[in-house]
PDB file of all heavy atoms in Angstrom:
ATOM      1  N   ALA A 124     190.341 -37.433 -29.060  1.00 97.00           N
ATOM      2  CA  ALA A 124     191.528 -36.626 -28.766  1.00 97.00           C
ATOM      3  C   ALA A 124     191.992 -35.884 -30.012  1.00 97.00           C
ATOM      4  O   ALA A 124     192.331 -34.691 -29.957  1.00 97.00           O
ATOM      5  CB  ALA A 124     192.640 -37.511 -28.214  1.00 97.00           C
ATOM      6  N   ASN A 125     192.002 -36.566 -31.144  1.00 97.00           N
ATOM      7  CA  ASN A 125     192.406 -35.929 -32.400  1.00 97.00           C
ATOM      8  C   ASN A 125     191.428 -34.816 -32.789  1.00 97.00           C
ATOM      9  O   ASN A 125     191.833 -33.732 -33.234  1.00 97.00           O
ATOM     10  CB  ASN A 125     192.483 -36.968 -33.521  1.00 97.00           C
ATOM     11  CG  ASN A 125     193.645 -37.930 -33.347  1.00 97.00           C
ATOM     12  OD1 ASN A 125     194.626 -37.615 -32.677  1.00 97.00           O
ATOM     13  ND2 ASN A 125     193.536 -39.110 -33.931  1.00 97.00           N
ATOM     14  N   PHE A 126     190.149 -35.087 -32.617  1.00 97.00           N
ATOM     15  CA  PHE A 126     189.115 -34.112 -32.983  1.00 97.00           C
ATOM     16  C   PHE A 126     189.218 -32.870 -32.102  1.00 97.00           C
ATOM     17  O   PHE A 126     189.135 -31.737 -32.587  1.00 97.00           O
ATOM     18  CB  PHE A 126     187.737 -34.770 -32.854  1.00 97.00           C
ATOM     19  CG  PHE A 126     186.613 -33.981 -33.453  1.00 97.00           C
ATOM     20  CD1 PHE A 126     186.662 -33.543 -34.770  1.00 97.00           C
ATOM     21  CD2 PHE A 126     185.485 -33.678 -32.701  1.00 97.00           C
ATOM     22  CE1 PHE A 126     185.619 -32.814 -35.323  1.00 97.00           C
ATOM     23  CE2 PHE A 126     184.435 -32.952 -33.242  1.00 97.00           C
ATOM     24  CZ  PHE A 126     184.505 -32.524 -34.562  1.00 97.00           C
ATOM     25  N   ALA A 127     189.404 -33.065 -30.793  1.00 97.00           N
ATOM     26  CA  ALA A 127     189.519 -31.936 -29.865  1.00 97.00           C
ATOM     27  C   ALA A 127     190.772 -31.106 -30.156  1.00 97.00           C
ATOM     28  O   ALA A 127     190.738 -29.873 -30.102  1.00 97.00           O
ATOM     29  CB  ALA A 127     189.538 -32.449 -28.428  1.00 97.00           C
ATOM     30  N   GLU A 128     191.869 -31.788 -30.470  1.00 97.00           N
ATOM     31  CA  GLU A 128     193.111 -31.068 -30.749  1.00 97.00           C
ATOM     32  C   GLU A 128     192.986 -30.226 -32.020  1.00 97.00           C
ATOM     33  O   GLU A 128     193.428 -29.074 -32.059  1.00 97.00           O
ATOM     34  CB  GLU A 128     194.271 -32.052 -30.875  1.00 97.00           C
ATOM     35  CG  GLU A 128     195.617 -31.382 -31.021  1.00 97.00           C
ATOM     36  CD  GLU A 128     196.783 -32.347 -30.908  1.00 97.00           C
ATOM     37  OE1 GLU A 128     196.538 -33.561 -30.774  1.00 97.00           O
ATOM     38  OE2 GLU A 128     197.921 -31.875 -30.957  1.00 97.00           O
ATOM     39  N   LYS A 129     192.370 -30.795 -33.056  1.00 96.00           N
ATOM     40  CA  LYS A 129     192.182 -30.042 -34.300  1.00 96.00           C
ATOM     41  C   LYS A 129     191.283 -28.829 -34.077  1.00 96.00           C
ATOM     42  O   LYS A 129     191.464 -27.788 -34.708  1.00 96.00           O
ATOM     43  CB  LYS A 129     191.583 -30.953 -35.370  1.00 96.00           C
ATOM     44  CG  LYS A 129     192.556 -31.995 -35.902  1.00 96.00           C
ATOM     45  CD  LYS A 129     191.893 -32.907 -36.925  1.00 96.00           C
ATOM     46  CE  LYS A 129     192.878 -33.958 -37.427  1.00 96.00           C
ATOM     47  NZ  LYS A 129     192.244 -34.908 -38.383  1.00 96.00           N
ATOM     48  N   ALA A 130     190.305 -28.979 -33.183  1.00 96.00           N
ATOM     49  CA  ALA A 130     189.387 -27.880 -32.889  1.00 96.00           C
ATOM     50  C   ALA A 130     189.924 -26.939 -31.817  1.00 96.00           C
ATOM     51  O   ALA A 130     189.279 -25.922 -31.522  1.00 96.00           O
ATOM     52  CB  ALA A 130     188.038 -28.443 -32.454  1.00 96.00           C
ATOM     53  N   SER A 131     191.079 -27.259 -31.231  1.00 96.00           N
ATOM     54  CA  SER A 131     191.659 -26.492 -30.123  1.00 96.00           C
ATOM     55  C   SER A 131     190.628 -26.272 -29.018  1.00 96.00           C
ATOM     56  O   SER A 131     190.486 -25.185 -28.466  1.00 96.00           O
ATOM     57  CB  SER A 131     192.194 -25.139 -30.618  1.00 96.00           C
ATOM     58  OG  SER A 131     193.263 -25.323 -31.514  1.00 96.00           O
ATOM     59  N   THR A 132     189.906 -27.350 -28.709  1.00 96.00           N
ATOM     60  CA  THR A 132     188.820 -27.292 -27.732  1.00 96.00           C
ATOM     61  C   THR A 132     189.117 -28.236 -26.571  1.00 96.00           C
ATOM     62  O   THR A 132     189.411 -29.415 -26.790  1.00 96.00           O
ATOM     63  CB  THR A 132     187.484 -27.692 -28.382  1.00 96.00           C
ATOM     64  OG1 THR A 132     187.188 -26.760 -29.431  1.00 96.00           O
ATOM     65  CG2 THR A 132     186.344 -27.665 -27.371  1.00 96.00           C
ATOM     66  N   GLY A 133     189.024 -27.734 -25.364  1.00 97.00           N
ATOM     67  CA  GLY A 133     189.268 -28.553 -24.195  1.00 97.00           C
ATOM     68  C   GLY A 133     188.201 -29.607 -24.002  1.00 97.00           C
ATOM     69  O   GLY A 133     187.016 -29.390 -24.287  1.00 97.00           O
ATOM     70  N   CYS A 134     188.627 -30.761 -23.536  1.00 98.00           N
ATOM     71  CA  CYS A 134     187.717 -31.873 -23.249  1.00 98.00           C
ATOM     72  C   CYS A 134     188.319 -32.664 -22.091  1.00 98.00           C
ATOM     73  O   CYS A 134     189.497 -33.025 -22.134  1.00 98.00           O
ATOM     74  CB  CYS A 134     187.540 -32.767 -24.478  1.00 98.00           C
ATOM     75  SG  CYS A 134     186.526 -34.246 -24.193  1.00 98.00           S
ATOM     76  N   LEU A 135     187.507 -32.930 -21.085  1.00 98.00           N
ATOM     77  CA  LEU A 135     187.964 -33.724 -19.950  1.00 98.00           C
ATOM     78  C   LEU A 135     187.151 -35.007 -19.877  1.00 98.00           C
ATOM     79  O   LEU A 135     185.910 -34.965 -19.840  1.00 98.00           O
ATOM     80  CB  LEU A 135     187.797 -32.943 -18.644  1.00 98.00           C
ATOM     81  CG  LEU A 135     188.907 -31.936 -18.312  1.00 98.00           C
ATOM     82  CD1 LEU A 135     188.470 -31.014 -17.197  1.00 98.00           C
ATOM     83  CD2 LEU A 135     190.186 -32.666 -17.928  1.00 98.00           C
ATOM     84  N   ILE A 136     187.835 -36.131 -19.879  1.00 96.00           N
ATOM     85  CA  ILE A 136     187.186 -37.426 -19.688  1.00 96.00           C
ATOM     86  C   ILE A 136     187.696 -37.998 -18.374  1.00 96.00           C
ATOM     87  O   ILE A 136     188.890 -38.269 -18.219  1.00 96.00           O
ATOM     88  CB  ILE A 136     187.449 -38.366 -20.874  1.00 96.00           C
ATOM     89  CG1 ILE A 136     186.828 -37.766 -22.138  1.00 96.00           C
ATOM     90  CG2 ILE A 136     186.883 -39.760 -20.595  1.00 96.00           C
ATOM     91  CD1 ILE A 136     186.958 -38.609 -23.373  1.00 96.00           C
TER      92      ILE A 136
END
Side-chain angles (χ1 to χ4, degrees):
N125 290 337
F126 192 54
E128 186 170 3
K129 289 178 181 177
S131 295
T132 298
C134 176
L135 278 167
I136 297 182

